[in-house]
Amino acid sequence: MSANGMTRQMNSFKQRYSLYFLTFILLVVPAYSSSGMGTVVIDSMVNEIAGLENYLQILEDSTHKLTINQVIHSDYQSKFKPAVIFSEELSPKNTYWGKIVLKSELDRDSDWVLVLEDYWPISYVEAYITYDNQTFEVKKAGKLTPTPELDIKEGRFNKLHVFLPKNREEAAIFLKIRNVDHRPIGFTLKLENNISWFKKQEINNILQAIFHGILWVMIIYNFSMYISVGDKAYLYYVLYMVLLSMYALYYMGYLKTYFIGNHTRVNDYVWVISAYAPSVFYFLFARYYFRIKGRLPLTDWLIKTWVAIKSTILVVFLLILFIFYNTKLVGTMGSYLMLFEIGLYVVSLIYVIHATTKAKTKNAIYFIFGTSILLTSTVVFILNILIKGQGNYLILQAGIIIELIFFSFGLADRMKLREIKVQKSRERLIEQLQENERLQTEVNRQLEEKVKERTQKISRQKEEISQKNEELVALNEEKNYLIGIVAHDLGNPLANIKLYAQLIKRTAEKLSEKHINQLNIIEDSTENMMDMISKILDVNAIEAHKIKMNMEEVNLSSILNATIDELREKAENKNLSIYLDTSSEEAKVDKFYAKQTFDNLISNAIKFSEPGKRIHIVVKKKSDKVRVEIKDEGPGICADDMKKIFRKYQKLSAKPTGGERSTGLGLSIVKKYVELMQGKVWCESEPGSGSTFFIEFDKAEKPVVNKV
Ligand code: ADP
């Protein structure tokens, strides 16, 4: 609350309230009388003689150059005229000299303090006391007087020690006053008993210390609450209190006296900020205190809007001060703003009371009490200014402290509610956790049971499988054994049948063509059967792991040549031509099984090619490998067949073209043999234009001589 701001329009109220004012003076100061123009006669001992400004005579100095020695000279004495201090007549353009004559009619010497209380902070004040035109004391004051030159150390009141001897000797007081800002000059003057003045100052200082002490303890406490709880209500509350403390320091003059030094204008910036910003934080505090955000959108909007408007006004005020230094304008606007805001407080209060009676919340009641008390003390403070011309700031300070105590109760209550809430949710959480744990244990138990059950089942199945496996192995062995015996035992009779068929053919002379044909069929059939038996035996041997590879470094061309030679007749029968393209490559293989492999593959090429086609065999080096490619112009192998081609008993789409037999075993045997020789076999084919079988063996380390 700004007394300076308020006082601008108080001036116009001044006339109206002069009656109160006079009554006050008559009650308090009956102890002096006037004797002639500008002379105050003191005839009884009192603590205070107020209203002396009414006896002041004024001398204008538009040159600003007059000195005290000139002024006390008789030439100037006649120029002193009575003047109204609280008027716009005293313009900031001039320096003014004020004169007041004091005369004691007391029967003893008395010590006084002349107190100048400025309505608007005066820029410069120099006070002189003269006895018989002799200057005895000079004091300096004024808000633009740099602190080191100031004579005032007890707040904002300018004091001058006045000694009045008992023998009616006159003392004249001269005041040199100058204002540089836009405000007119306005102040009160009083004499105060020296002892009572110091006592008052002492009490005042103690009260101020208590006020700031309480405020700062609460600031620190609430700030630490903000840090630990993070609730913004505490933060805005803290900022509100810091500004209140700043305003008190400003208003009581401590800021100027102890903190500002030569930065004399800072006083006015602090005045504007600390007088008009607290309400911003008050409303922000209320916003978080009542958790309006998110709950009451309209109220929230109103608060935010008012905070925005008020902040803008604050910035405008500061700019006016900074650019024009027009404290009068800011003070006037500020007073109207403040009146409006008091209205706003009252409306908000009614609203809160209304809401509270419904909700009956304790913390709202604390808030209402706090705010009402501050409002009351503010109104009393303002009425004080209106009536007495000077507000009793202590009343306002007491209001502030009581308000803050209520707010603190409210915050404590909020904290309690919050704690209860936290406690409840903690309990719920614990219950939930316990429930979770119980469920978890149950699930674990069920899982364990299931795992146990499954493990038992699996181990049973495993046992069964291994039993079955053993049986299968035994059966397989038996099967292999039987096949071996059967195949072996069939081999000899078949060989005999073939042999005798050939013998009959060669030795019997008178055989008809029909008989020769029948003998040929017997021969072919037995050969096919023998071929089949040999393959079955090969598979048997492979499966029984009876094959031992005898790896040698061999020239593949010679093996291939030998194989082709053996198959040439079959090829020629079908009018097929076989080409071998080789550069005598040596590889590490088992001679016997390599030959079996080539035999199988070339036999297939012959078997599945139409007469008149070609079979091309190429042997080539591939880094550390030797690759054999057997390419035919047969039907080729479709993609579907390609997947199964190396599996056992696979008779696929391509069928023998010359009535040959097919077992579906040849390629599976080839694959096994090649792998046992550490080689690789694969097939590439384009259906319709033949297929190529590739076999790769490790290359021999050194060249070898053909051993086949
Ligand atoms: P078999 O030749 O006794 O039928 P294989 O295992 O050697 O058994 O061949 C399996 C099948 O693969 C054959 O039935 C045939 O359909 C197909 N096949 C093998 N070689 C060739 C080839 N060179 N061209 C086309 N199809 C082939």
Side-chain angles (χ1 to χ4, degrees), residues 265-327:
R265 269 194 184 200
V266 173
N267 215 36
D268 289 312
Y269 298 132
V270 173
W271 156 54
V272 168
I273 294 169
S274 64
Y276 301 117
S279 81
V280 169
F281 293 109
Y282 172 87
F283 281 110
L284 285 174
F285 164 68
R287 183 166 174 250
Y288 282 91
Y289 180 87
F290 289 114
R291 298 197 178 90
I292 286 168
K293 197 179 155 192
R295 280 204 314 175
L296 302 165
L298 179 67
T299 316
D300 195 34
W301 182 85
L302 285 171
I303 291 180
K304 278 201 292 200
T305 310
W306 178 242
V307 165
I309 293 173
K310 189 78 196 279
S311 308
T312 316
I313 293 173
L314 192 61
V315 172
V316 172
F317 280 6
L318 286 172
L319 284 176
I320 293 175
L321 273 194
F322 190 74
I323 301 167
F324 308 110
Y325 199 50
N326 194 337
T327 41

Side-chain angles (χ1 to χ4, degrees), residues 531 535 600-609 630 632 634-637 641 644-656 661-670 683 685 690-693:
D531 190 40
K535 278 190 178 153
N600 260 311
L601 292 174
I602 300 168
S603 293
N604 277 354
I606 295 169
K607 199 163 33 172
F608 297 105
S609 294
I630 299 164
D632 62 46
I637 298 156
D641 286 357
K644 326 181 219 169
I645 196 153
F646 288 104
R647 291 189 206 149
K648 267 201 297 183
Y649 303 110
Q650 295 297 327
K651 292 187 201 168
L652 305 171
S653 0
K655 299 280 179 272
R661 297 275 162 184
S662 164
T663 58
L665 286 171
L667 288 178
S668 72
I669 293 169
V670 163
C683 176
S685 168
S691 27
T692 309
F693 283 83

